[in-house]
Amino acid sequence: MNTKVKDEAARRLSTGVIDLIRVIEQLRRESAARQGFSDLEFRVLIRIATLGTASPEEVARERGLSGADVRAEIDDLVDSGYVVRTKDGTYAATPAGEKIARAAVDGLTSTVAAALGPASDEEAQQLVLLVDLTTRMLSQSLEGSGS
């Protein structure tokens, strides 16, 4: 494969990945709004519920967010009963928070699975998690470059 063909293939792939990220983020925002959450609050809840206990600073760093914003969202989630503070000062999802986060991830997964056609639910879930990781990495990269 010559360089021109490789460059075109890489461009098309990156465009497709960016489009997929936008669609998944839009679906997440819509899911958050339907359930009465802000997008940021929903992202924080999903992070804590799916990846386990974390401090506000960990969540902020992993998601490329402001620590103050994350602390405010965690306070709201605690007040709403979706997150609790643990003895070691980190935060964990309550059963109610885990249920909402699981439903959100399952909904995104089934939507992506339907769009991908022959992909399995497991492959679709892996893709949703990969898109989340890619979004975080891009966010951190842009933050570090001053963009």
Side-chain angles (χ1 to χ4, degrees):
M1 192 181 284
N2 69 38
T3 303
K4 189 174 182 176
V5 171
K6 286 181 187 178
D7 289 347
E8 178 59 23
R11 187 195 62 72
R12 286 195 339 258
L13 177 61
S14 69
T15 299
V17 168
I18 290 168
D19 288 345
L20 181 59
I21 289 170
R22 287 181 180 142
V23 167
I24 290 174
E25 287 180 336
Q26 181 61 36
L27 290 170
R28 186 197 63 233
R29 284 190 296 272
E30 290 171 3
S31 180
R34 274 193 308 276
Q35 297 182 60
F37 292 98
S38 71
D39 184 49
L40 179 56
E41 187 176 31
F42 204 52
R43 290 171 62 196
V44 170
L45 175 60
I46 289 172
R47 161 44 184 98
I48 291 172
T50 58
L51 297 179
T53 62
S55 69
E57 294 75 22
E58 286 175 293
V59 175
R61 185 177 57 254
E62 292 170 5
R63 297 293 189 246
L65 302 168
S66 148
D69 289 344
V70 169
R71 279 188 292 284
E73 297 303 334
I74 287 177
D75 288 344
D76 289 346
L77 290 167
V78 167
D79 291 345
S80 300
Y82 297 118
V83 170
V84 293
R85 186 179 176 116
T86 64
K87 291 178 183 176
D88 66 0
T90 60
Y91 292 85
T94 64
E98 287 176 354
K99 182 179 178 181
I100 288 172
R102 174 56 36 217
V105 171
D106 288 350
L108 286 173
T109 299
S110 64
T111 300
V112 170
L116 293 177
S120 70
D121 284 350
E122 182 179 334
E123 290 168 326
Q125 186 170 23
Q126 289 173 350
L127 182 58
V128 167
L129 296 174
L130 176 62
V131 167
D132 180 58
L133 174 64
T134 304
T135 302
R136 283 186 279 138
M137 289 172 58
L138 286 171
S139 174
Q140 291 170 350
S141 173
L142 291 173
E143 212 173 73
S145 70
S147 298

